[in-house]
Amino acid sequence: MPRPERTRVMCVANQKGGVGKTTTTVNLAVALALHGNRVLVVDLDPQGNASTGLNVPHHTGVPDVYDCLIDSVPLAEVAQEVEGIPNLWCVPATIDLAGAEIELVSVVARESRLNRAIEAYPGHFDYVFIDCPPSLGLLTVNALVAAQEVLIPIQCEYYALEGLNQLINNINLVRQHLNPKLAVSTILLTMYDRRTRLADAVEQDVRNHFGDKVLQAVIPRNVRVSEAPSYGQSVMTYDPGSRGATSYFEAAQEIAERGAKEPVIRNA
């Protein structure tokens, strides 16, 4: 897969839970790392599911992203290499992160703590993926300030479209006041069930509204995608031949090719 000219920091966000944010983050990161890109995953969800999916220890006492946000510990001291996947690192999240929303309120420059930590990282990455919690609180704001691009996974069901306006409004507010480089660059349709008319209708609505920001690759409902995390793996390594794995590979390829063709998108 082509490597971008400079680091692409992508925030995977949607305040609705269960739309595939973590699954998307983990599988895209693994797909890109397996094909020659240096990738960092920052797990910003207190549930720590991205850490679980990459089989990175994140029990209490493990240095995590909380230490970076609250105590200004350098990201390099917290990032762990992902076993079995070359070129892939993960900054885990422990349950301590659940209190960060409250503790950040009184911290100086609270919205840009993560941005500073990423900018101060001594190594070079082609991609940084930030897995956001299902909310629009200070953790998600930190991710939006640190990122240049927003990737929004949208579940192919009616409710998925309901909260989208609020998310876009928040992204616009962050762009106006905190991060003028921020842009919604990628929309990924997930949990697509070809047997239903509803999935097709949602797909058409999203494509009509967002145009070419929507990836051609669509992630189907696939048992293998759901099974993989219980083995501490991504679907890319758990069952590379499954429909879920091939769909995520196609999505990663599309993201990589778009970045190579349109470097301006990272400053849009």
Side-chain angles (χ1 to χ4, degrees):
M1 291 185 188
R3 296 175 68 180
E5 292 173 14
R6 60 196 120 160
T7 306
R8 294 177 69 184
V9 183
M10 302 187 78
C11 158
V12 183
N14 191 330
Q15 80 270 28
K16 186 177 186 304
V19 299
K21 286 188 295 295
T22 300
T23 304
T24 295
T25 303
V26 167
N27 288 302
L28 290 179
V30 170
L32 288 161
L34 288 174
H35 292 85
N37 287 274
R38 286 172 59 84
V39 185
L40 174 69
V41 173
V42 178
D43 189 352
L44 210 58
D45 187 343
Q47 295 174 82
N49 290 340
S51 308
T52 301
L54 294 170
N55 201 24
V56 169
H58 61 103
H59 51 80
T60 305
V62 171
D64 74 326
V65 71
Y66 170 88
D67 300 314
C68 303
L69 294 174
I70 305 298
D71 299 325
S72 300
V73 173
L75 216 55
E77 293 181 17
V78 174
Q80 301 182 34
E81 287 189 54
V82 176
E83 192 181 341
I85 312 286
N87 301 321
L88 182 58
W89 287 260
C90 176
V91 175
T94 68
I95 195 63
D96 293 343
L97 193 59
E101 290 270 3
I102 298 164
E103 291 178 57
L104 277 169
V105 171
S106 58
V107 172
V108 176
R110 60 192 181 188
E111 298 95 351
S112 56
R113 304 286 287 187
L114 182 62
N115 184 40
R116 289 181 182 187
I118 291 171
E119 286 185 345
Y121 198 97
H124 170 76
F125 291 105
D126 296 304
Y127 292 88
V128 176
F129 285 99
I130 307 170
D131 184 33
C132 293
S135 72
L136 294 174
L138 266 174
L139 290 175
T140 300
V141 170
N142 259 272
L144 292 171
V145 172
Q148 298 132 14
E149 303 179 47
V150 185
L151 187 161
I152 306 177
I154 298 179
Q155 186 180 5
C156 290
E157 291 185 3
Y158 175 72
Y159 285 138
L161 299 173
E162 281 210 313
L164 212 51
N165 277 343
Q166 186 59 50
L167 176 62
I168 299 296
N169 289 343
N170 276 43
I171 290 168
N172 288 335
L173 283 171
V174 170
R175 184 192 295 125
Q176 288 167 25
H177 300 288
L178 297 165
N179 180 9
K181 293 182 181 178
L182 189 65
V184 176
S185 67
T186 312
I187 308 286
L188 178 64
L189 293 161
T190 62
M191 303 181 196
Y192 186 83
D193 189 342
R194 297 186 187 281
R195 297 169 300 177
T196 66
R197 287 184 186 173
L198 178 62
D200 188 50
V202 171
E203 179 182 8
Q204 292 309 315
D205 280 355
V206 172
R207 289 193 188 281
N208 290 339
H209 192 272
F210 289 102
D212 58 5
K213 290 180 180 180
V214 187
L215 295 182
Q216 291 304 310
V218 174
I219 311 302
R221 283 198 179 274
N222 184 253
V223 175
R224 292 293 194 229
V225 172
S226 307
E227 285 176 357
S230 63
Y231 294 90
Q233 292 187 53
S234 69
V235 74
M236 311 303 297
T237 50
Y238 176 65
D239 188 353
S242 66
R243 279 175 60 225
T246 53
S247 298
Y248 271 116
F249 170 78
E250 287 166 10
Q253 180 85 38
E254 221 175 315
I255 287 169
E257 286 173 359
R258 285 182 176 197
K261 283 179 197 166
E262 302 174 42
V264 290
I265 199 167
R266 293 191 291 282
N267 298 316

